[in-house]
Every structure is written in C-alpha cells, then in structure tokens.
Amino acid sequence: MFGPKCHCLVVVGAQWGDEGKGKIVDVLAERADLVVRYQGGANAGHTVVNGGDAFILHQIPSGILHPATRCLIGNGVVLDPETLLREMQALTERGIVLEGRLAVSDRAHLVMPYHKVLDRATEREQRIGTTGRGIGPAYEDKFGRRGIRVGDLRHTDRAVQLVTDGAERANRVLAMLGVEERASVAEHVALVRRLAPCILPLVADTGKLAWDALRQGKHVLLEGAQGALLDVDHGTYPFVTSSNTTSGGAAVGAGIGPTAIDAVLGVVKAYTTRVGNGPLPTEADAPAAERLRTLGDEFGATTGRPRRCGWFDAVVVRYAARVNGLTDLAVTKLDILDEFDELAVCTGYRLERATLDDMPADTETLARVQPVYEMLAGWRRRTSDARKLADLPTQARAYLDRIQDLVGTRVTYVSVGSRRDQIIGLS
Ligand code: IMP
Ligand code: MG
C-alpha cells in the first residue's frame, strides 16, 4: 500500500479485535520505515508467524520481525513495563536484534501491578470480560490526571512519590469495593527503582520521531490494537476497551496530526469473533460456532479464552468503515471457510417490525436485534495455496465481492493462512 501517494498508513481492526492485524502489519512492514503502536497495552495479542516460528506480541509493534524497520510505542499506549521487558527478552532469545530499533514515548502512561488488582476487583461488579491487564484503571488514572508517565522515570523521587500515591489510592478504592487484596507500597517503589534503568534507554519523543520520518518522505505505519466495536466511543459501550481504537485515535496516540494520514486499512475476518462479554448479533448456533472455533483456532492470544464465533456482519463493518474513514479492506482467514457448504452474511438487523441498517448506540437494543441473513454458496476447495485472485474458486470471489459491496470499501488484501506468503494483493 505504501507508495508515492501513501506515506502514512493506519491499520485498524474493523470488528471486535483479533482480525489478524498482526499478520497484515507484518506483511506491510516490509516496506515501512517506522511502525507505531498508538493505543491499548498488553491487552492486545498480535500473532505473527515468521518461518516456522509463531510470535505473540502484546506491546511491541508487529513490524519488529523486519530488521530494517524501527518500532515505536506511542504516547497513547498504556505500557506494562514488566511485560515489555519479557517480550524484548523473548525476541532477543529468538535472534531478533532490538538494538536501536525500539523506542517508547516519554508521554505514554505506565501500568502498575495495582492497576491489575483494580481491574480484577472492578470486574467482580461490572463483568465486562476484560483481559485483566489493568488497562481500564491505567486509563482512568491518565484521564484523572494522576497517572505515571514513562518520562517520570527520569526523576526517581517524583516516580516514587507518584507510585506511592497511586498504590495508596488503589488500596482505598479496594477497601471501598469490599475487596481484601491490597497493593504493597514498598513493592511498588522497589519495582519502579528496578525498572527505571531498564526502560530509560528506550525513552524518546516518539511523536517527533514519526513526524521527522514523514518529513523525510519515509513510510510510517500506525498499528491499531483491538477493533472498532471495542472503541470506547464507537464500540458496544460499556463492553469496550478504554481507548480509541479507531483511526482518529491513531493521530492522537502516535502524536502526529490527522492531516498526515494518507490511508486507513481496515482488517476484518471473513467471519466474526468476539472475546469478552457484550452483544454479538451474528453469533452462530453452538455447532457452527464450534466448527469455526476449531477450524480457525479461535482462542484468545492474550488470555487463552475461547472466542465467540459467528457469521460476517456487514452492518458492523460498514459502521467501522464510516467511523474509521476506511480506504481499504483486508479480509483475513478466508481459508477457514473452505469446508462450509453455505455461508451466511448479515446484511441488516431487524428490531421488532423495523429494519436497521446502521449500528444502534444502545447496547441493549443491539442485544435484541435479529440479523437479516443472505445465504451464499460455499466453495468447498482449499484456498490456502491461492496467491492471486484468479486462483480462488468462483464462489470465494463472489463472497469477497459481496462483502466489498455491502461494506462499500474496496478489498485490497485477502489472507489465506497465517504465513507471510499466504496473501493475495488486489491493488
Ligand atoms: P480490556 O481491554 O482488558 O479492558 O478489556 C475490555 C474488552 O476488550 C474485553 O471484552 C476484552 O476481551 C476486549 N479486548 C481487549 N483487548 C483485546 C484484543 O486485543 N482482542 C480482542 N478483544 C480484546
Ligand atoms: Mg488478538
């Protein structure tokens, strides 16, 4: 997608996350000079298969497997420092050189162990089905203007004061919630002292780095995590994550202006999955869901939870195209549908006597809609070896055409397997 007219590309999930962004970013990063994560944190699980090796990346951008690509963790991310160090170590052990290739924004906020304790405590009442990675509480502290930023680690006394205040406050909240667990102030202080020297060498003004790269005519990829329907504004609130996953969040979270963005690629699965609670209008009946889950290996990359599975929902993706300003679509995991005789595609929702063709804001309303399905013929042939559109069975092409028409966005990539080479480019 990169070229003379596209220097800055955003890649977003256009469903409920787990669309296969990691693989698409890995493929596109071949031609990117910089890859920037702009929101979320260690709740993400991006699976990238390189040769025989599968890497699950939680915070480090999926561009890291290309030696010439530099990776940035932007200001919009809530950074779990311990997970970051573990992830770095795992990559190093597998021969990936990180020296000079990874930077973290001094404006990014830190996720502390007490955020995870609070996340679990809050879940007892709210039951969002979070990943338990402390994401919500860390963003609460950010917007409550009491967070600890990566740059605070440069001033030990300040960082120690902030983490002490944070842990004490967390303990007051835990008491209020009637939870017995407490955060140890001493352990948090020790943690901050231990982490600072490991993290500080990575710290930079990443927004400036991205801006400089763009001014030099380089290619910058902004890598989203989660998906449009998990966006805190546009998703199925309250069953969402605590950040703006959509492309508007990319400008804010990477620290560049929105006018710098040239294209927005939405990644969608050829069907639908969701992990965590909240409505999923096209959730399939148990046998079909089970079949999709088994064929697609639909288990969370971060928590291992089985994902809920269902049919492609064009209402969802059309909505995601609108709120993200999608210019292109990448359809992933088409090969998972190879064995089905028939495929259902949701074209609209019925609510009592009315027909809805857009996403309602009210989650309870969404929970009551009936999907309107169109049945399409399956292809019953292996697609994982296809490398160009003409290699695909007619029915598979008809399926993709129908998705493209219903969503109103051109399909630019089709992925037919987890390996890097299992991709069809349609530009
Ligand atoms: P949190 O982001 O851990 O607060 O979780 C909020 C909701 O977002 C839950 O439904 C999670 O399952 C979901 N979620 C968070 N991160 C991801 C992801 O990377 N993929 C899919 N779902 C996610
Ligand atoms: Mg994932």
Side-chain angles (χ1 to χ4, degrees):
M1 283 201 61
F2 288 112
K5 286 197 182 136
C6 182
H7 289 275
C8 185
L9 167 69
V10 186
V11 176
V12 289
Q15 292 159 326
W16 275 278
D18 307 314
E19 299 91 349
K21 294 178 291 294
K23 143 118 192 219
I24 299 293
V25 170
D26 174 59
V27 168
L28 294 172
E30 172 106 65
R31 299 195 49 206
D33 300 289
L34 268 188
V35 180
V36 191
R37 260 292 295 276
Y38 61 82
Q39 44 70 232
N43 50 348
H46 293 168
T47 309
V48 183
V49 178
N50 182 16
D53 273 352
F55 293 81
I56 296 179
L57 299 165
H58 299 286
Q59 298 189 110
I60 296 181
S62 306
I64 202 70
L65 303 184
H66 293 279
T69 306
R70 200 162 175 210
C71 291
L72 309 182
I73 297 179
N75 56 275
V77 168
V78 286
L79 182 78
D80 184 331
E82 287 180 288
T83 310
L84 175 72
L85 296 175
R86 269 204 302 277
E87 215 167 300
M88 288 173 66
Q89 194 187 343
L91 286 169
T92 307
E93 277 166 9
R94 289 162 86 172
I96 311 285
V97 179
L98 298 177
E99 230 72 76
R101 296 187 50 220
L102 181 65
V104 178
S105 170
D106 45 8
R107 291 174 169 84
H109 280 245
L110 289 173
V111 180
M112 288 286 109
Y114 59 75
H115 290 124
K116 295 177 205 171
V117 179
L118 287 170
D119 194 352
R120 284 195 298 273
T122 317
E123 270 295 277
R124 304 209 315 188
E125 285 175 12
Q126 293 186 213
R127 302 204 179 277
I128 306 297
T130 72
T131 61
R133 295 299 187 270
I135 304 300
Y139 277 115
E140 280 178 48
D141 279 354
K142 169 177 175 173
F143 289 99
R145 297 164 296 184
R146 53 178 175 267
I148 312 173
R149 301 202 295 176
V150 169
D152 291 323
L153 295 174
R154 290 186 181 122
H155 313 277
T156 314
D157 290 351
R158 188 202 299 168
V160 163
Q161 188 62 52
L162 284 166
V163 81
T164 303
D165 294 348
E168 285 173 350
R169 187 174 188 283
N171 287 339
R172 292 197 297 277
V173 174
L174 291 167
M176 194 182 78
L177 291 172
V179 174
E180 276 181 20
E181 195 173 354
R182 291 291 176 271
S184 153
V185 173
E187 279 173 25
H188 277 83
V189 169
L191 179 69
V192 162
R193 289 190 190 279
R194 181 166 62 76
L195 288 173
C198 308
I199 301 290
L200 283 175
L202 304 171
V203 180
D205 182 345
T206 52
K208 174 92 168 38
L209 293 177
W211 194 70
D212 286 343
L214 286 169
R215 266 206 323 180
Q216 291 162 19
K218 293 189 172 164
H219 293 160
V220 175
L221 192 158
L222 309 182
E223 175 181 0
Q226 291 86 45
L229 278 293
L230 291 172
D231 183 289
V232 67
D233 282 84
H234 303 294
T236 48
Y237 192 89
F239 300 100
V240 293
T241 192
S242 297
S243 64
N244 285 115
T245 61
T246 45
S247 60
V252 176
I256 58 168
T259 47
I261 295 171
D262 299 307
V264 184
L265 174 69
V267 184
V268 292
K269 256 179 213 169
Y271 48 100
T272 306
T273 64
R274 170 168 205 169
V275 58
N277 302 330
L280 181 59
T282 61
E283 188 156 21
D285 58 20
E290 185 56 39
R291 204 167 161 210
L292 284 167
R293 190 176 305 115
T294 308
L295 289 166
D297 193 21
E298 296 294 351
F299 296 88
T302 299
T303 57
R305 290 179 287 178
R307 296 179 184 141
R308 298 155 66 194
C309 297
W311 308 109
F312 187 86
D313 187 339
V315 182
V316 161
V317 181
R318 193 155 59 220
Y319 172 69
R322 172 161 70 80
V323 296
N324 279 295
L326 295 187
T327 57
D328 298 83
L329 275 184
V331 178
T332 64
K333 295 186 115 170
L334 185 73
D335 55 303
I336 302 306
L337 302 180
D338 286 354
E339 292 177 17
F340 286 81
D341 292 325
E342 257 195 325
L343 298 162
V345 170
C346 168
T347 58
Y349 298 148
R350 203 163 287 131
L351 182 66
E352 282 131 29
R353 292 237 175 85
T355 307
L356 308 180
D357 51 15
D358 224 323
M359 185 58 61
D362 181 49
T363 301
E364 278 181 35
T365 305
L366 186 64
R368 285 193 296 123
V369 301
Q370 290 296 324
V372 179
Y373 285 121
E374 186 175 298
M375 299 309 295
L376 278 82
W379 41 93
R380 309 220 21 118
R381 247 178 64 196
R382 190 148 64 112
T383 55
S384 53
D385 298 327
R387 295 295 176 271
K388 48 188 194 306
L389 198 57
D391 296 339
L392 288 177
T394 332
Q395 297 89 331
R397 276 182 290 168
Y399 186 77
L400 294 168
D401 283 345
R402 191 64 185 131
I403 285 179
Q404 176 166 275
D405 286 349
L406 287 166
V407 175
T409 306
R410 71 167 176 257
V411 174
T412 307
Y413 293 98
V414 180
S415 172
V416 289
S418 55
R419 287 199 326 262
R420 221 177 239 176
D421 64 302
Q422 291 177 306
I423 190 131
I424 305 174
L426 308 173
S427 40

